[in-house]
Each structure stands twice: as C-alpha cells, then as structure tokens.
Amino acid sequence: MITDTILNILFYLPLLLLKALPRINFSLPDDVFNGFSDFLSNVGYVVPMKALLPILASSLAISTFKISWALIIRIKSFIPTMGA
C-alpha cells in the first residue's frame, strides 16, 4: 500500500508525458509481400532446390552426428569410470 503510493508519485510525471504523446497508427499494405514472393520465385528458378536438397540433407545429417557425438563424449567424460 505504501509502496504503491510511492511508485505512483514517482511515475506520475513520466506517465503524464507518455499520455500526452500522439498515437501512432502502423499498418502494412496488403500487397507488401508480393515483391518478396516474386523474389523467392526468381531465386527458386535460379537455384534448383530439388537437385540441392540431397546435399543439404547429408550435410545436415553429418553436422547433427558430429554434435551428438561431441555431446556423448562430453557427458561420458563426467562419469568417473568412463572418463577420457
């Protein structure tokens, strides 16, 4: 109760200044993402994802295996009888 009163006194001026600020209306037009969609369509034409997807999948699999293996080794090193 006392804390609320002290905070109300401290924040009276900043709140008064914030209430005096004008409102800002922010809206995006409906066709704002059409340019982005066209750009992605052009990139998809130049970079054939169907041909590059196996390379990406194998690279991701190798990276995931390396991370998992490093995590297993790290956890194993904390076990007293299985330390490196």
Coordinates of all heavy atoms in Angstrom, one line a residue:
M1 N 0.8 -1.2 0.0 CA 0.0 0.0 0.0 C 0.9 1.3 0.0 O 0.7 2.2 -0.8 CB -0.9 0.0 1.2 CG -1.9 1.1 1.2 SD -2.9 1.0 2.7 CE -4.4 0.3 2.0
I2 N 1.8 1.3 0.9 CA 2.8 2.4 0.9 C 3.6 2.4 -0.3 O 3.9 3.5 -0.9 CB 3.6 2.4 2.2 CG1 2.7 2.5 3.4 CG2 4.7 3.5 2.2 CD1 3.4 2.4 4.7
T3 N 4.0 1.2 -0.8 CA 4.9 1.1 -2.0 C 4.1 1.6 -3.2 O 4.7 2.3 -4.0 CB 5.3 -0.4 -2.1 OG1 5.9 -0.8 -0.9 CG2 6.3 -0.5 -3.3
D4 N 2.8 1.3 -3.3 CA 2.0 1.7 -4.4 C 2.0 3.2 -4.5 O 2.1 3.8 -5.5 CB 0.6 1.1 -4.4 CG 0.6 -0.4 -4.7 OD1 1.6 -0.8 -5.3 OD2 -0.3 -1.0 -4.2
T5 N 1.8 3.8 -3.3 CA 1.7 5.3 -3.3 C 3.1 5.9 -3.7 O 3.1 6.9 -4.4 CB 1.4 5.7 -1.8 OG1 0.2 5.1 -1.4 CG2 1.1 7.2 -1.8
I6 N 4.2 5.4 -3.2 CA 5.5 5.9 -3.6 C 5.7 5.7 -5.1 O 6.2 6.7 -5.7 CB 6.6 5.2 -2.7 CG1 6.4 5.6 -1.3 CG2 8.0 5.6 -3.3 CD1 7.3 4.8 -0.3
L7 N 5.4 4.6 -5.6 CA 5.5 4.4 -7.0 C 4.6 5.3 -7.9 O 5.0 5.8 -8.9 CB 5.3 2.9 -7.4 CG 6.3 1.9 -6.9 CD1 5.9 0.5 -7.2 CD2 7.7 2.2 -7.5
N8 N 3.4 5.5 -7.4 CA 2.5 6.4 -8.1 C 3.1 7.8 -8.2 O 2.9 8.5 -9.2 CB 1.1 6.4 -7.5 CG 0.4 5.1 -7.8 OD1 0.6 4.5 -8.8 ND2 -0.6 4.8 -7.0
I9 N 3.7 8.2 -7.1 CA 4.2 9.6 -7.0 C 5.5 9.7 -7.9 O 5.6 10.6 -8.7 CB 4.6 9.9 -5.6 CG1 3.4 10.1 -4.7 CG2 5.5 11.2 -5.5 CD1 3.7 10.2 -3.2
L10 N 6.3 8.6 -7.9 CA 7.5 8.6 -8.8 C 7.2 8.5 -10.3 O 7.8 9.2 -11.1 CB 8.4 7.4 -8.4 CG 9.1 7.5 -7.1 CD1 9.9 6.3 -6.8 CD2 10.1 8.7 -7.1
F11 N 6.1 7.8 -10.6 CA 5.8 7.6 -12.0 C 4.7 8.5 -12.5 O 4.3 8.4 -13.7 CB 5.4 6.1 -12.3 CG 6.5 5.2 -12.1 CD1 6.4 4.1 -11.3 CD2 7.7 5.4 -12.8 CE1 7.4 3.2 -11.2 CE2 8.7 4.5 -12.7 CZ 8.6 3.4 -11.9
Y12 N 4.3 9.5 -11.7 CA 3.2 10.4 -12.2 C 3.7 11.2 -13.4 O 3.0 11.3 -14.4 CB 2.8 11.3 -11.0 CG 1.8 12.3 -11.4 CD1 0.5 11.9 -11.6 CD2 2.1 13.7 -11.6 CE1 -0.5 12.8 -12.0 CE2 1.1 14.6 -12.0 CZ -0.2 14.1 -12.2 OH -1.1 15.0 -12.6
L13 N 4.8 11.8 -13.3 CA 5.3 12.7 -14.4 C 5.6 11.9 -15.7 O 5.2 12.3 -16.8 CB 6.5 13.5 -14.0 CG 7.0 14.5 -15.0 CD1 6.0 15.6 -15.3 CD2 8.3 15.2 -14.4
P14 N 6.3 10.8 -15.6 CA 6.6 10.0 -16.8 C 5.3 9.5 -17.5 O 5.1 9.5 -18.7 CB 7.5 8.8 -16.4 CG 8.1 9.3 -15.1 CD 7.1 10.2 -14.5
L15 N 4.3 9.1 -16.7 CA 3.1 8.6 -17.2 C 2.3 9.8 -17.8 O 1.6 9.6 -18.9 CB 2.2 7.9 -16.1 CG 2.7 6.6 -15.7 CD1 1.9 6.0 -14.5 CD2 2.7 5.6 -16.9
L16 N 2.4 10.9 -17.2 CA 1.7 12.1 -17.8 C 2.3 12.5 -19.1 O 1.6 12.8 -20.1 CB 1.8 13.3 -16.8 CG 1.0 14.5 -17.1 CD1 -0.5 14.2 -17.0 CD2 1.3 15.6 -16.1
L17 N 3.6 12.4 -19.3 CA 4.3 12.7 -20.5 C 4.0 11.6 -21.6 O 3.8 12.0 -22.8 CB 5.8 12.8 -20.3 CG 6.3 14.0 -19.5 CD1 7.8 13.8 -19.2 CD2 6.0 15.3 -20.2
L18 N 3.9 10.4 -21.2 CA 3.5 9.3 -22.1 C 2.1 9.5 -22.6 O 1.8 9.2 -23.8 CB 3.7 7.9 -21.5 CG 5.2 7.5 -21.4 CD1 5.2 6.2 -20.7 CD2 5.8 7.4 -22.7
K19 N 1.2 9.9 -21.8 CA -0.2 10.0 -22.2 C -0.3 11.2 -23.1 O -1.3 11.3 -23.9 CB -1.1 10.2 -21.0 CG -1.3 9.0 -20.2 CD -2.2 9.2 -19.0 CE -2.3 8.0 -18.2 NZ -3.1 8.2 -16.9
A20 N 0.6 12.2 -23.1 CA 0.5 13.4 -23.9 C 1.0 13.1 -25.3 O 0.7 13.9 -26.2 CB 1.3 14.5 -23.3
L21 N 1.7 12.0 -25.5 CA 2.2 11.7 -26.9 C 1.1 11.3 -27.8 O 0.1 10.7 -27.4 CB 3.2 10.5 -26.8 CG 4.5 10.8 -26.1 CD1 5.3 9.5 -26.0 CD2 5.3 11.8 -26.9
P22 N 1.2 11.7 -29.1 CA 0.2 11.3 -30.0 C 0.2 9.8 -30.3 O 1.3 9.1 -30.2 CB 0.5 12.1 -31.3 CG 2.0 12.4 -31.2 CD 2.3 12.5 -29.7
R23 N -0.9 9.3 -30.8 CA -1.0 7.8 -31.1 C -0.3 7.6 -32.5 O -0.5 8.5 -33.4 CB -2.4 7.3 -31.1 CG -3.0 7.2 -29.8 CD -4.3 6.6 -29.9 NE -4.9 6.5 -28.5 CZ -5.1 5.3 -27.9 NH1 -4.8 4.2 -28.5 NH2 -5.5 5.3 -26.7
I24 N 0.3 6.5 -32.7 CA 1.0 6.2 -33.9 C 0.2 5.0 -34.5 O 0.1 3.9 -33.9 CB 2.4 5.8 -33.7 CG1 3.2 7.0 -33.2 CG2 3.0 5.3 -35.1 CD1 4.6 6.7 -32.8
N25 N -0.3 5.2 -35.7 CA -1.0 4.1 -36.4 C -0.1 3.5 -37.4 O 0.4 4.1 -38.3 CB -2.3 4.6 -37.1 CG -3.3 5.0 -36.1 OD1 -3.4 4.5 -35.0 ND2 -4.1 6.0 -36.5
F26 N 0.1 2.2 -37.2 CA 1.1 1.5 -38.1 C 0.3 0.4 -38.8 O -0.3 -0.5 -38.2 CB 2.2 0.9 -37.3 CG 3.2 0.1 -38.1 CD1 4.1 0.8 -38.9 CD2 3.2 -1.3 -38.1 CE1 5.1 0.1 -39.6 CE2 4.2 -1.9 -38.9 CZ 5.1 -1.2 -39.6
S27 N 0.3 0.4 -40.1 CA -0.4 -0.6 -40.9 C 0.4 -0.9 -42.1 O 1.0 0.0 -42.7 CB -1.8 -0.2 -41.3 OG -1.8 1.0 -42.1
L28 N 0.4 -2.2 -42.5 CA 1.1 -2.6 -43.7 C 0.1 -2.8 -44.8 O -1.0 -3.2 -44.6 CB 1.7 -4.0 -43.5 CG 2.9 -4.0 -42.5 CD1 3.4 -5.4 -42.3 CD2 4.1 -3.2 -43.1
P29 N 0.4 -2.4 -46.0 CA -0.5 -2.6 -47.2 C -0.6 -4.1 -47.5 O 0.2 -4.9 -47.1 CB 0.2 -1.9 -48.3 CG 1.5 -1.3 -47.8 CD 1.6 -1.6 -46.4
D30 N -1.7 -4.4 -48.1 CA -2.0 -5.8 -48.4 C -1.0 -6.5 -49.4 O -0.7 -7.6 -49.3 CB -3.4 -6.0 -49.0 CG -4.4 -5.6 -48.0 OD1 -4.1 -5.7 -46.8 OD2 -5.5 -5.3 -48.4
D31 N -0.4 -5.7 -50.3 CA 0.5 -6.2 -51.3 C 2.0 -6.1 -50.9 O 2.8 -6.1 -51.8 CB 0.2 -5.6 -52.6 CG 0.4 -4.1 -52.7 OD1 0.5 -3.5 -51.6 OD2 0.4 -3.5 -53.8
V32 N 2.3 -5.9 -49.7 CA 3.7 -5.7 -49.3 C 4.6 -6.9 -49.5 O 5.7 -6.8 -49.8 CB 3.8 -5.2 -47.8 CG1 3.5 -6.3 -46.8 CG2 5.1 -4.6 -47.5
F33 N 4.0 -8.1 -49.4 CA 4.8 -9.3 -49.5 C 4.8 -9.8 -51.0 O 5.4 -10.9 -51.2 CB 4.3 -10.4 -48.6 CG 4.5 -10.0 -47.1 CD1 3.4 -9.7 -46.3 CD2 5.8 -10.0 -46.6 CE1 3.6 -9.4 -45.0 CE2 6.0 -9.7 -45.3 CZ 4.9 -9.4 -44.5
N34 N 4.1 -9.2 -51.9 CA 4.2 -9.6 -53.3 C 5.6 -9.5 -53.9 O 6.0 -10.4 -54.6 CB 3.2 -8.8 -54.1 CG 1.8 -9.2 -53.8 OD1 1.5 -10.2 -53.2 ND2 0.8 -8.4 -54.3
G35 N 6.3 -8.5 -53.6 CA 7.7 -8.4 -54.0 C 8.6 -9.4 -53.5 O 9.4 -10.0 -54.2
F36 N 8.4 -9.7 -52.2 CA 9.2 -10.8 -51.6 C 8.9 -12.2 -52.2 O 9.8 -13.0 -52.5 CB 8.9 -10.8 -50.1 CG 9.8 -11.8 -49.3 CD1 11.1 -11.5 -49.2 CD2 9.2 -12.9 -48.7 CE1 12.0 -12.4 -48.5 CE2 10.0 -13.7 -48.0 CZ 11.4 -13.5 -47.9
S37 N 7.6 -12.4 -52.5 CA 7.2 -13.6 -53.1 C 7.8 -13.7 -54.5 O 8.2 -14.8 -55.0 CB 5.7 -13.7 -53.2 OG 5.3 -14.8 -53.9
D38 N 7.8 -12.6 -55.3 CA 8.4 -12.6 -56.6 C 9.9 -12.9 -56.5 O 10.4 -13.6 -57.4 CB 8.1 -11.3 -57.3 CG 6.7 -11.1 -57.6 OD1 5.9 -12.1 -57.7 OD2 6.3 -10.0 -57.9
F39 N 10.5 -12.3 -55.6 CA 12.0 -12.5 -55.4 C 12.3 -14.0 -55.1 O 13.2 -14.6 -55.7 CB 12.5 -11.6 -54.2 CG 13.9 -11.9 -53.9 CD1 14.9 -11.5 -54.7 CD2 14.3 -12.6 -52.7 CE1 16.3 -11.7 -54.4 CE2 15.6 -12.8 -52.4 CZ 16.6 -12.4 -53.3
L40 N 11.5 -14.6 -54.2 CA 11.7 -16.0 -53.9 C 11.4 -16.9 -55.1 O 12.1 -17.9 -55.3 CB 10.9 -16.4 -52.7 CG 11.3 -15.9 -51.4 CD1 10.4 -16.4 -50.3 CD2 12.7 -16.3 -51.1
S41 N 10.4 -16.5 -55.9 CA 10.2 -17.3 -57.1 C 11.3 -17.2 -58.1 O 11.7 -18.3 -58.7 CB 8.9 -16.8 -57.8 OG 7.8 -16.9 -57.0
N42 N 12.0 -16.1 -58.2 CA 13.1 -16.0 -59.1 C 14.3 -16.7 -58.5 O 15.1 -17.3 -59.3 CB 13.5 -14.5 -59.3 CG 12.4 -13.8 -60.1 OD1 11.8 -14.4 -61.0 ND2 12.3 -12.5 -59.9
V43 N 14.5 -16.7 -57.3 CA 15.6 -17.4 -56.7 C 15.4 -18.9 -56.8 O 16.3 -19.7 -57.1 CB 15.8 -17.1 -55.2 CG1 16.7 -18.0 -54.4 CG2 16.3 -15.6 -55.0
G44 N 14.1 -19.4 -56.7 CA 13.8 -20.8 -56.9 C 14.1 -21.2 -58.4 O 14.4 -22.4 -58.6
Y45 N 13.9 -20.3 -59.3 CA 14.2 -20.6 -60.7 C 15.7 -20.8 -60.9 O 16.2 -21.6 -61.7 CB 13.6 -19.5 -61.6 CG 13.9 -19.7 -63.0 CD1 13.1 -20.7 -63.7 CD2 14.9 -19.0 -63.7 CE1 13.4 -20.9 -65.1 CE2 15.1 -19.3 -65.1 CZ 14.3 -20.2 -65.7 OH 14.6 -20.4 -67.1
V46 N 16.5 -19.9 -60.3 CA 17.9 -19.9 -60.5 C 18.6 -21.0 -59.7 O 19.5 -21.7 -60.2 CB 18.6 -18.5 -60.1 CG1 20.1 -18.6 -60.1 CG2 18.0 -17.4 -61.0
V47 N 18.2 -21.3 -58.4 CA 18.8 -22.3 -57.6 C 17.8 -23.5 -57.5 O 16.8 -23.4 -56.8 CB 19.0 -21.7 -56.2 CG1 19.6 -22.7 -55.3 CG2 19.9 -20.5 -56.2
P48 N 18.1 -24.5 -58.2 CA 17.1 -25.7 -58.2 C 17.2 -26.4 -56.9 O 18.2 -27.2 -56.6 CB 17.6 -26.5 -59.3 CG 19.1 -26.2 -59.5 CD 19.2 -24.7 -59.1
M49 N 16.2 -26.3 -56.0 CA 16.3 -26.9 -54.7 C 16.2 -28.5 -54.8 O 16.7 -29.2 -53.9 CB 15.1 -26.4 -53.8 CG 15.4 -25.0 -53.3 SD 17.0 -24.8 -52.4 CE 16.6 -25.8 -50.9
K50 N 15.5 -29.0 -55.8 CA 15.3 -30.4 -55.9 C 16.6 -31.1 -56.1 O 16.9 -32.2 -55.6 CB 14.4 -30.7 -57.0 CG 13.9 -32.1 -57.0 CD 12.7 -32.3 -58.1 CE 12.0 -33.6 -57.8 NZ 10.8 -33.7 -58.6
A51 N 17.5 -30.5 -56.8 CA 18.9 -31.0 -57.0 C 19.8 -30.8 -55.8 O 20.7 -31.7 -55.6 CB 19.5 -30.4 -58.3
L52 N 19.6 -29.7 -55.1 CA 20.5 -29.4 -54.0 C 20.0 -30.0 -52.7 O 20.7 -30.0 -51.7 CB 20.6 -27.9 -53.9 CG 21.3 -27.2 -55.0 CD1 21.4 -25.7 -54.8 CD2 22.7 -27.7 -55.2
L53 N 18.8 -30.5 -52.6 CA 18.2 -31.0 -51.4 C 19.0 -32.2 -50.8 O 19.2 -32.3 -49.6 CB 16.7 -31.3 -51.5 CG 15.9 -31.4 -50.3 CD1 16.0 -30.1 -49.5 CD2 14.5 -31.7 -50.6
P54 N 19.4 -33.2 -51.6 CA 20.2 -34.3 -51.0 C 21.5 -33.8 -50.4 O 22.0 -34.3 -49.4 CB 20.5 -35.2 -52.2 CG 19.4 -34.9 -53.2 CD 19.1 -33.5 -53.0
I55 N 22.2 -32.9 -51.0 CA 23.4 -32.3 -50.5 C 23.2 -31.6 -49.2 O 23.9 -31.8 -48.2 CB 24.1 -31.4 -51.5 CG1 24.4 -32.1 -52.8 CG2 25.3 -30.7 -50.9 CD1 24.9 -31.2 -53.9
L56 N 22.1 -30.9 -49.1 CA 21.7 -30.2 -47.9 C 21.4 -31.2 -46.8 O 21.8 -31.0 -45.6 CB 20.6 -29.2 -48.1 CG 20.1 -28.4 -46.9 CD1 21.1 -27.5 -46.4 CD2 18.8 -27.7 -47.3
A57 N 20.6 -32.2 -47.1 CA 20.2 -33.2 -46.1 C 21.4 -34.0 -45.6 O 21.5 -34.2 -44.4 CB 19.2 -34.2 -46.8
S58 N 22.3 -34.4 -46.5 CA 23.5 -35.1 -46.0 C 24.4 -34.2 -45.1 O 25.0 -34.7 -44.1 CB 24.3 -35.7 -47.2 OG 24.7 -34.7 -48.0
S59 N 24.6 -33.0 -45.5 CA 25.3 -32.0 -44.7 C 24.7 -31.8 -43.3 O 25.4 -31.8 -42.3 CB 25.5 -30.7 -45.5 OG 26.1 -29.7 -44.7
L60 N 23.4 -31.7 -43.3 CA 22.7 -31.5 -42.0 C 22.9 -32.8 -41.2 O 23.1 -32.7 -39.9 CB 21.3 -31.2 -42.3 CG 20.4 -30.9 -41.0 CD1 20.9 -29.6 -40.4 CD2 19.0 -30.7 -41.4
A61 N 22.8 -34.0 -41.8 CA 22.9 -35.2 -41.1 C 24.3 -35.4 -40.5 O 24.5 -35.8 -39.3 CB 22.6 -36.4 -42.0
I62 N 25.3 -35.0 -41.2 CA 26.7 -35.1 -40.8 C 26.9 -34.1 -39.6 O 27.6 -34.5 -38.6 CB 27.7 -34.9 -41.9 CG1 27.7 -36.0 -42.9 CG2 29.1 -34.7 -41.4 CD1 28.4 -35.8 -44.2
S63 N 26.4 -32.9 -39.7 CA 26.6 -31.9 -38.7 C 25.9 -32.4 -37.4 O 26.4 -32.3 -36.3 CB 26.0 -30.6 -39.1 OG 26.7 -30.1 -40.2
T64 N 24.7 -33.0 -37.5 CA 23.9 -33.5 -36.4 C 24.7 -34.6 -35.7 O 24.7 -34.7 -34.5 CB 22.5 -33.9 -36.8 OG1 21.9 -32.8 -37.5 CG2 21.7 -34.4 -35.6
F65 N 25.2 -35.5 -36.5 CA 26.0 -36.6 -36.0 C 27.2 -36.1 -35.2 O 27.5 -36.6 -34.1 CB 26.5 -37.6 -37.1 CG 27.3 -38.7 -36.6 CD1 26.8 -39.7 -35.8 CD2 28.7 -38.6 -36.8 CE1 27.6 -40.7 -35.4 CE2 29.5 -39.6 -36.3 CZ 29.0 -40.7 -35.6
K66 N 27.9 -35.1 -35.8 CA 29.1 -34.6 -35.1 C 28.7 -33.9 -33.7 O 29.4 -34.1 -32.7 CB 29.8 -33.5 -36.0 CG 30.6 -34.1 -37.1 CD 31.2 -33.0 -37.9 CE 32.0 -33.6 -39.1 NZ 32.7 -32.5 -39.8
I67 N 27.6 -33.2 -33.7 CA 27.2 -32.5 -32.5 C 26.8 -33.6 -31.5 O 27.1 -33.5 -30.3 CB 26.0 -31.5 -32.8 CG1 26.6 -30.3 -33.6 CG2 25.4 -31.1 -31.5 CD1 25.5 -29.4 -34.1
S68 N 26.0 -34.6 -31.9 CA 25.6 -35.7 -31.0 C 26.8 -36.4 -30.4 O 26.9 -36.7 -29.2 CB 24.7 -36.6 -31.7 OG 23.6 -36.0 -32.2
W69 N 27.8 -36.7 -31.3 CA 29.0 -37.5 -30.8 C 29.8 -36.6 -29.8 O 30.2 -37.2 -28.8 CB 29.8 -37.8 -32.1 CG 31.0 -38.7 -31.7 CD1 32.3 -38.4 -31.6 CD2 30.9 -40.1 -31.3 NE1 33.0 -39.5 -31.3 CE2 32.2 -40.5 -31.0 CE3 29.8 -41.0 -31.1 CZ2 32.4 -41.8 -30.6 CZ3 30.1 -42.2 -30.7 CH2 31.4 -42.7 -30.5
A70 N 29.9 -35.3 -30.1 CA 30.7 -34.5 -29.2 C 29.9 -34.4 -27.8 O 30.6 -34.4 -26.8 CB 30.8 -33.1 -29.8
L71 N 28.6 -34.4 -27.9 CA 27.8 -34.3 -26.6 C 27.9 -35.6 -25.9 O 28.1 -35.6 -24.6 CB 26.4 -34.0 -27.0 CG 25.4 -33.7 -25.8 CD1 25.9 -32.5 -25.1 CD2 24.0 -33.6 -26.3
I72 N 27.9 -36.7 -26.6 CA 28.1 -38.0 -25.9 C 29.5 -38.1 -25.2 O 29.6 -38.6 -24.1 CB 27.9 -39.2 -26.9 CG1 26.4 -39.3 -27.2 CG2 28.4 -40.5 -26.3 CD1 26.1 -40.2 -28.4
I73 N 30.5 -37.7 -25.9 CA 31.9 -37.7 -25.4 C 32.0 -36.8 -24.2 O 32.6 -37.2 -23.2 CB 32.9 -37.3 -26.5 CG1 32.9 -38.4 -27.6 CG2 34.3 -37.2 -25.9 CD1 33.4 -39.7 -27.2
R74 N 31.4 -35.7 -24.2 CA 31.4 -34.7 -23.1 C 30.7 -35.3 -21.9 O 31.2 -35.2 -20.8 CB 30.8 -33.4 -23.5 CG 30.7 -32.4 -22.4 CD 32.1 -31.9 -22.0 NE 32.7 -31.2 -23.1 CZ 33.8 -30.5 -23.0 NH1 34.4 -30.5 -21.8 NH2 34.4 -29.9 -24.0
I75 N 29.5 -35.9 -22.1 CA 28.8 -36.5 -21.0 C 29.6 -37.7 -20.4 O 29.6 -37.8 -19.2 CB 27.4 -36.9 -21.4 CG1 26.5 -35.6 -21.7 CG2 26.7 -37.7 -20.4 CD1 25.2 -35.8 -22.4
K76 N 30.1 -38.5 -21.3 CA 30.9 -39.6 -20.9 C 32.1 -39.2 -20.0 O 32.5 -40.0 -19.1 CB 31.3 -40.4 -22.1 CG 31.9 -41.8 -21.8 CD 32.3 -42.5 -23.0 CE 33.7 -42.1 -23.3 NZ 34.6 -43.0 -23.8
S77 N 32.7 -38.1 -20.3 CA 33.9 -37.7 -19.6 C 33.6 -37.3 -18.1 O 34.5 -37.3 -17.3 CB 34.6 -36.5 -20.3 OG 33.8 -35.3 -20.2
F78 N 32.3 -37.0 -17.8 CA 32.0 -36.6 -16.5 C 31.7 -37.9 -15.6 O 31.6 -37.8 -14.4 CB 30.7 -35.7 -16.4 CG 31.1 -34.3 -16.8 CD1 30.6 -33.8 -18.0 CD2 31.9 -33.5 -16.0 CE1 30.9 -32.5 -18.4 CE2 32.2 -32.2 -16.4 CZ 31.7 -31.7 -17.6
I79 N 31.5 -39.0 -16.2 CA 31.3 -40.3 -15.5 C 32.7 -40.8 -15.0 O 33.6 -41.0 -15.8 CB 30.6 -41.3 -16.3 CG1 29.2 -40.8 -16.8 CG2 30.4 -42.6 -15.6 CD1 28.5 -41.6 -17.8
P80 N 32.8 -41.0 -13.7 CA 34.2 -41.3 -13.2 C 34.8 -42.6 -13.8 O 36.0 -42.6 -14.0 CB 33.9 -41.5 -11.7 CG 32.7 -40.8 -11.4 CD 31.8 -40.9 -12.6
T81 N 34.0 -43.6 -14.0 CA 34.7 -44.9 -14.5 C 34.8 -44.9 -16.0 O 35.5 -45.8 -16.6 CB 33.8 -46.1 -14.1 OG1 32.5 -45.9 -14.6 CG2 33.7 -46.2 -12.6
M82 N 34.2 -43.9 -16.7 CA 34.3 -43.9 -18.2 C 35.0 -42.7 -18.7 O 34.9 -42.3 -19.9 CB 32.9 -44.0 -18.8 CG 32.1 -45.2 -18.4 SD 30.5 -45.1 -19.1 CE 30.8 -45.4 -20.8
G83 N 35.8 -42.0 -17.9 CA 36.5 -40.8 -18.3 C 37.5 -41.0 -19.4 O 38.0 -42.1 -19.6
A84 N 37.8 -39.9 -20.1 CA 38.7 -40.0 -21.2 C 40.1 -39.9 -20.6 O 41.1 -40.1 -20.9 CB 38.5 -38.8 -22.2

